Structures are given as structure tokens and as C-alpha cells.
Amino acid sequence: MADLVTDFDQDAGPSPAQPVSGRGTRVLIYSHDTFGLGHLRRSRAIANAIVQDRPDTSVVIISGSPVIGNFEFDSGVDYIRIPGVTKLPDGDYRSLNLNVELDEAVGLRQALILQAAKAFKPDVFIVDKEPTGFRGEVVPALDYLKAAGCRLVLGIRDVMDEPALLVPEWERKGAKEALIHYYDEIWVYGLKDVYQPLKALDLPPHVEERITYTGYLRRDVPPTPSLTKYPKITKQPFILVTTGGGGDGDDLIDWVISAYEADAELEQPALILFGPFIDRDKRRSFVERITKQPKLDVMSFDNKIEWLMKKADAIVAMGGYNTFCEALSFDKRTLIVPRTRPRLEQYIRAVEGERLGLVSMLSDYKKPRTPERMAAALRSLSSQPRPSEVIVPGLLDGLDRVQERLKALTTSTARFATVYHQAAE
């Protein structure tokens, strides 16, 4: 842990946190969002659910997403935008907007996260996905808040990656050590009977006991309708094709368009939603092809996609966590076309979802990506069972369980500063 944990000077550090009379609960959320929209949208759903259940609570989301300002948050929720980073095609990262080296950008992000923790004085700190944050940037804040008595929670999605890749990745990052050393609770936003994302890590029994499987995070339509003007195609039953942020959805969009190009007998129209991060050249090429197909239409982005999903007759998506939750929540017949590179997270989720009968799956993982295969899958959607026809206990209880665990954490009088100092000795 020497490379992860900063030296803690007891004289210079914070004193153990004490309840503040008349002050509502404060929750700080770190959203791991170096790519796409998934982490931000999950963090927003959790934050909104917290303040809906406890109106006196204040929640601050720390995010580097360049589009966080496009989303609405409930009263009691706000955000701090830190400099963004972006993932390159080769898997490396760079600063998104600043003309600085990545290490300098990470140092700036790290300092801002720590300062937010010191100024906001949260009762609970929820870290999304990465126990140490992007390149360890959350560690100084974890040190500070643990010593201050703040409750530390790691929240992870139902599937991280295949064990063969997850274990060495977490060892390289020191993530398993951080998980053991820092976190009071681990919330898995899924069901144990569906998938156990940390099973391969061989965690000590006392850490296993900290894990709560919450169930998936139910989604609702926003309280106010979208101001986006929907195409005429949405006035009839239609298939919504969405790739989330759009930065890695080119293959899915191309495959759907090719199906309509190859099969004039496809009856149900489809609306393709690009997402804000789609490559401009790809977008231009897709638009040219879509305009030639009378049963296809396109939209760029909708920050209230929930309304569009509710309106749709069926959904075709890549299988990211948020889209999976929305398909279940709105009870939509769904075809998952999972990304298989650079990780198998979406593929594993799709396999398990199809096993339970919640969704159908079409993959190019071991079979060729032909227009005929996609056309057949699209045609089969209309006769596919809806998710509600399958009984899975606790399937969409995620937000309820989060609210319960947060209440338990903040009403307990136990504090952890003493434990921290004993562990640091």
C-alpha cells in the first residue's frame, strides 16, 4: 500500500467527524467518467434517489464529463466539474481540453477532489467503479475522509470484466488492497444470482461481508418532458437504436443500417440515436445512408432519453449498464448487441440477461456480422416476451436498497477514525 496510501500526519490532519446539529446529511459522489455517459448517468440516478427519499440531504457529484451540464438534477443535488480526460483508440488516455500532459491533468483533478472533500465535509463518500479512482486520483481524499470518520462506499456495476482480465488489472492498480483498506461497504448494483463481479478476487471473508447486492437501479421518466422535437417516425410503433454516449457504437449503427439496406421487407421503422461522442466523419456517413432509407430516421442526442425509451415499441442497444436498467424499468423488448472489445462486460451481461429471458442477444463475438442476421433479429423482436413476463425477485430494487444502506450508515453512531489509525500503524 506504500504506493497508494499517502503518509498521514495526525497533527495536520482532520479530527474525527462529529454530527453537526441542524445540518442535513451530506453525500459526495465520485463519478468515474473517462469515457461515455454510463458512470455519470448512474451517479445521477443514485443522487436523485437519495434526495427524493431524504429531502434534507445534499449531494455533490464530482465529474469530468464534458456534458454533465446538459442533465437535470433534483433539488439538493449539484456537481463539480473537474478537467476531463479521454480514452484514445489505442487504449491510452490524454487530457480532454487542457493543453497539459496527462500527469499534470490528473494532479489537478486529484487536488480538486481533495479540496472538495475538505470543503464539503461529507458524511458518506460514494466512489464509482474504481477503488482508487482514475490513476489513483481519489486516494488522498480517501485518506482524509477515512481519518475524519466519513463512511466510504464503493459502488460497482453488476459486471466489471471477465476474471482473466479483471484480476491482473486490479492487482496492477492496487485496487484490491484499496478495497480492503478503505471501504466500509461495497454496493454491487445487480443481483448475486445473476453475476458476482468480484468473486475472482478472492477477497478476505471480512471484506466479503461488506458486500451488498442491491439489485438493478430502476429508472423513471424525468419529471419534465424532453424539449427535443421527435421525428415523425415516433408517431407509430418504432424500434429505438441507442449506443449510449456514441463513442464506441459505430459497429451497431452500421449493422442496423445494413439490415434495412439489405432487406426491404423489414416493416417496423427504427430511430437511431447517435449520442454526443460519435465521430463526426462517421456521423456524416451514417446520415447519408439513413436518408436513403424510408424506414430509418436519426437524432443526435436526447438528455432525457427515458421519455424516448418509454415511447419506443422495442430497443436495440449495446448492453451498457444504464441501458439494461432502462430496458427492464420500461418493460421493453430488447435486443442487446454487446461490445466485445476492449472488454467483455457487455457480452457477459447480455449472456446472463438472455439466460434469464429478460433480453435477446445478437453478437459478432464468434459469428460473422451479416445484414441478414441483424434483419432476422429485428424481425423477431415483435414476438419476444417482455421483461415483466419473467419473475426475478429483487430485480429492480437497487435504489431502494441504496436508500436503506445510506440510512443505516448515517444513523449509526460508530466512527472509524480509531480503526484507521490502528490499520496505519
Side-chain angles (χ1 to χ4, degrees), residues 13 31 45 91 116 133 137 144 176 180 227 238 248 251 271 274 290 336 354 357-358 364 370-371 404 410:
S31 178
E137 65 185 4
Y144 178 87
K176 178 179 175 180
I180 295 170
L227 298 178
F238 70 97
D248 56 359
D251 288 346
L271 174 63
F274 279 150
I290 289 169
I336 300 295
E354 187 173 55
L358 297 169
D364 62 356
T370 65
E404 291 172 6
T410 54

Short mmCIF file of all heavy atoms in Angstrom, two decimals, residues 13 31 45 91 116 133 137 144 176 180 227 238 248 251 271 274 290 336 354 357-358 364 370-371 404 410:
data_model
loop_
_atom_site.label_atom_id
_atom_site.label_comp_id
_atom_site.label_asym_id
_atom_site.label_seq_id
_atom_site.Cartn_x
_atom_site.Cartn_y
_atom_site.Cartn_z
N GLY A 13 -3.80 16.57 10.18
CA GLY A 13 -5.00 16.03 9.55
C GLY A 13 -6.27 16.42 10.28
O GLY A 13 -6.26 17.13 11.28
N SER A 31 -17.69 10.30 -9.68
CA SER A 31 -18.15 9.60 -10.88
C SER A 31 -16.97 9.32 -11.79
O SER A 31 -16.34 10.23 -12.32
CB SER A 31 -19.19 10.46 -11.63
OG SER A 31 -19.61 9.82 -12.81
N ALA A 45 -28.66 9.00 -11.17
CA ALA A 45 -29.82 8.24 -10.71
C ALA A 45 -29.75 8.00 -9.20
O ALA A 45 -30.75 8.13 -8.49
CB ALA A 45 -29.90 6.90 -11.45
N GLY A 91 -6.21 2.75 -26.41
CA GLY A 91 -6.40 2.41 -25.01
C GLY A 91 -5.72 3.36 -24.04
O GLY A 91 -5.94 3.29 -22.82
N ALA A 116 -12.52 19.47 -2.53
CA ALA A 116 -13.97 19.33 -2.42
C ALA A 116 -14.34 18.54 -1.17
O ALA A 116 -15.29 18.88 -0.46
CB ALA A 116 -14.53 18.66 -3.67
N GLY A 133 -9.88 5.45 -7.93
CA GLY A 133 -10.14 6.48 -8.91
C GLY A 133 -9.24 6.34 -10.12
O GLY A 133 -8.44 5.41 -10.22
N GLU A 137 -6.29 8.96 -8.35
CA GLU A 137 -6.56 10.36 -8.00
C GLU A 137 -7.46 10.53 -6.77
O GLU A 137 -7.50 11.62 -6.19
CB GLU A 137 -7.18 11.09 -9.19
CG GLU A 137 -8.56 10.58 -9.59
CD GLU A 137 -9.09 11.25 -10.86
OE1 GLU A 137 -8.35 12.05 -11.47
OE2 GLU A 137 -10.24 10.97 -11.24
N TYR A 144 -8.00 11.33 3.74
CA TYR A 144 -8.52 12.43 4.54
C TYR A 144 -9.88 12.08 5.15
O TYR A 144 -10.12 12.26 6.35
CB TYR A 144 -8.63 13.69 3.68
CG TYR A 144 -9.20 14.88 4.42
CD1 TYR A 144 -8.37 15.73 5.16
CD2 TYR A 144 -10.56 15.14 4.40
CE1 TYR A 144 -8.90 16.80 5.86
CE2 TYR A 144 -11.10 16.22 5.10
CZ TYR A 144 -10.26 17.05 5.83
OH TYR A 144 -10.78 18.10 6.53
N LYS A 176 -7.44 -3.94 -5.22
CA LYS A 176 -7.88 -4.89 -4.20
C LYS A 176 -7.41 -4.45 -2.82
O LYS A 176 -8.17 -4.50 -1.84
CB LYS A 176 -7.35 -6.28 -4.52
CG LYS A 176 -7.73 -7.34 -3.49
CD LYS A 176 -7.18 -8.70 -3.87
CE LYS A 176 -7.46 -9.74 -2.80
NZ LYS A 176 -6.94 -11.08 -3.15
N ILE A 180 -9.81 -3.35 0.46
CA ILE A 180 -9.68 -3.92 1.80
C ILE A 180 -9.40 -2.83 2.84
O ILE A 180 -9.96 -2.83 3.93
CB ILE A 180 -8.57 -4.97 1.83
CG1 ILE A 180 -8.94 -6.16 0.93
CG2 ILE A 180 -8.28 -5.44 3.25
CD1 ILE A 180 -7.80 -7.14 0.70
N LEU A 227 -37.51 18.57 -24.30
CA LEU A 227 -37.80 19.67 -25.22
C LEU A 227 -37.37 19.34 -26.64
O LEU A 227 -37.58 20.12 -27.56
CB LEU A 227 -37.10 20.95 -24.74
CG LEU A 227 -37.54 21.49 -23.37
CD1 LEU A 227 -36.73 22.72 -23.01
CD2 LEU A 227 -39.03 21.79 -23.36
N PHE A 238 -42.13 2.00 -33.14
CA PHE A 238 -40.79 2.07 -33.73
C PHE A 238 -39.78 1.41 -32.81
O PHE A 238 -40.02 1.22 -31.62
CB PHE A 238 -40.39 3.52 -33.99
CG PHE A 238 -40.13 4.33 -32.75
CD1 PHE A 238 -38.83 4.53 -32.26
CD2 PHE A 238 -41.18 4.91 -32.04
CE1 PHE A 238 -38.59 5.26 -31.11
CE2 PHE A 238 -40.96 5.65 -30.89
CZ PHE A 238 -39.65 5.83 -30.41
N ASP A 248 -18.39 4.58 -29.04
CA ASP A 248 -17.94 3.26 -29.46
C ASP A 248 -19.08 2.44 -30.07
O ASP A 248 -19.04 1.21 -30.07
CB ASP A 248 -17.34 2.50 -28.27
CG ASP A 248 -18.31 2.39 -27.10
OD1 ASP A 248 -19.43 2.92 -27.21
OD2 ASP A 248 -17.95 1.78 -26.08
N ASP A 251 -20.16 0.19 -34.83
CA ASP A 251 -20.46 -1.13 -35.39
C ASP A 251 -21.94 -1.45 -35.32
O ASP A 251 -22.53 -1.99 -36.27
CB ASP A 251 -19.67 -2.22 -34.65
CG ASP A 251 -18.19 -2.19 -35.00
OD1 ASP A 251 -17.82 -1.53 -35.99
OD2 ASP A 251 -17.39 -2.84 -34.28
N LEU A 271 -35.55 4.30 -35.20
CA LEU A 271 -34.96 5.61 -34.93
C LEU A 271 -33.58 5.39 -34.32
O LEU A 271 -33.45 4.73 -33.29
CB LEU A 271 -35.83 6.43 -33.97
CG LEU A 271 -35.25 7.77 -33.50
CD1 LEU A 271 -35.06 8.73 -34.67
CD2 LEU A 271 -36.13 8.38 -32.42
N PHE A 274 -27.70 8.84 -32.06
CA PHE A 274 -26.25 8.79 -32.17
C PHE A 274 -25.51 8.84 -30.83
O PHE A 274 -24.60 8.08 -30.57
CB PHE A 274 -25.74 9.94 -33.05
CG PHE A 274 -25.86 9.69 -34.52
CD1 PHE A 274 -26.05 10.75 -35.40
CD2 PHE A 274 -25.79 8.41 -35.03
CE1 PHE A 274 -26.16 10.53 -36.76
CE2 PHE A 274 -25.90 8.18 -36.39
CZ PHE A 274 -26.09 9.25 -37.26
N ILE A 290 -28.75 6.82 -43.95
CA ILE A 290 -30.06 6.79 -43.29
C ILE A 290 -31.10 7.54 -44.13
O ILE A 290 -32.26 7.11 -44.24
CB ILE A 290 -29.96 7.38 -41.87
CG1 ILE A 290 -29.19 6.42 -40.95
CG2 ILE A 290 -31.35 7.66 -41.29
CD1 ILE A 290 -28.82 7.01 -39.61
N ILE A 336 -29.91 -6.96 -27.36
CA ILE A 336 -28.60 -6.48 -26.95
C ILE A 336 -27.56 -6.93 -27.97
O ILE A 336 -27.47 -8.11 -28.32
CB ILE A 336 -28.22 -7.03 -25.56
CG1 ILE A 336 -29.24 -6.57 -24.50
CG2 ILE A 336 -26.81 -6.58 -25.17
CD1 ILE A 336 -29.26 -5.08 -24.27
N GLU A 354 -29.99 -12.86 -21.32
CA GLU A 354 -30.70 -13.78 -22.22
C GLU A 354 -30.99 -15.10 -21.51
O GLU A 354 -32.06 -15.70 -21.71
CB GLU A 354 -29.86 -14.02 -23.47
CG GLU A 354 -30.58 -14.84 -24.53
CD GLU A 354 -29.80 -14.94 -25.83
OE1 GLU A 354 -28.62 -15.38 -25.79
OE2 GLU A 354 -30.36 -14.57 -26.88
N GLY A 357 -34.06 -14.79 -19.72
CA GLY A 357 -35.22 -14.48 -20.54
C GLY A 357 -35.62 -13.02 -20.53
O GLY A 357 -36.71 -12.67 -20.97
N LEU A 358 -34.72 -12.15 -20.06
CA LEU A 358 -35.03 -10.72 -19.95
C LEU A 358 -34.81 -9.98 -21.26
O LEU A 358 -35.48 -8.98 -21.54
CB LEU A 358 -34.18 -10.08 -18.85
CG LEU A 358 -34.42 -10.60 -17.43
CD1 LEU A 358 -33.33 -10.09 -16.49
CD2 LEU A 358 -35.80 -10.18 -16.93
N ASP A 364 -21.35 -10.50 -32.60
CA ASP A 364 -20.36 -10.86 -33.62
C ASP A 364 -19.10 -11.43 -32.98
O ASP A 364 -18.05 -11.49 -33.61
CB ASP A 364 -20.01 -9.64 -34.49
CG ASP A 364 -19.38 -8.51 -33.69
OD1 ASP A 364 -19.29 -8.63 -32.45
OD2 ASP A 364 -18.98 -7.50 -34.30
N THR A 370 -23.41 -10.12 -40.37
CA THR A 370 -24.06 -10.01 -41.67
C THR A 370 -25.38 -9.26 -41.56
O THR A 370 -26.06 -9.32 -40.52
CB THR A 370 -24.34 -11.40 -42.26
OG1 THR A 370 -25.29 -12.09 -41.45
CG2 THR A 370 -23.05 -12.23 -42.33
N PRO A 371 -25.80 -8.56 -42.63
CA PRO A 371 -27.09 -7.86 -42.61
C PRO A 371 -28.26 -8.81 -42.35
O PRO A 371 -29.23 -8.44 -41.69
CB PRO A 371 -27.17 -7.23 -44.00
CG PRO A 371 -25.75 -7.10 -44.44
CD PRO A 371 -25.04 -8.28 -43.86
N GLU A 404 -31.77 2.42 1.79
CA GLU A 404 -31.71 1.72 3.08
C GLU A 404 -30.30 1.71 3.65
O GLU A 404 -30.10 1.98 4.85
CB GLU A 404 -32.19 0.27 2.91
CG GLU A 404 -33.67 0.13 2.62
CD GLU A 404 -34.04 -1.31 2.26
OE1 GLU A 404 -33.15 -2.19 2.34
OE2 GLU A 404 -35.20 -1.55 1.88
N THR A 410 -25.68 6.48 7.98
CA THR A 410 -25.70 7.83 8.55
C THR A 410 -26.38 7.90 9.91
O THR A 410 -26.22 8.90 10.62
CB THR A 410 -26.39 8.81 7.58
OG1 THR A 410 -27.69 8.31 7.26
CG2 THR A 410 -25.58 8.97 6.31
#
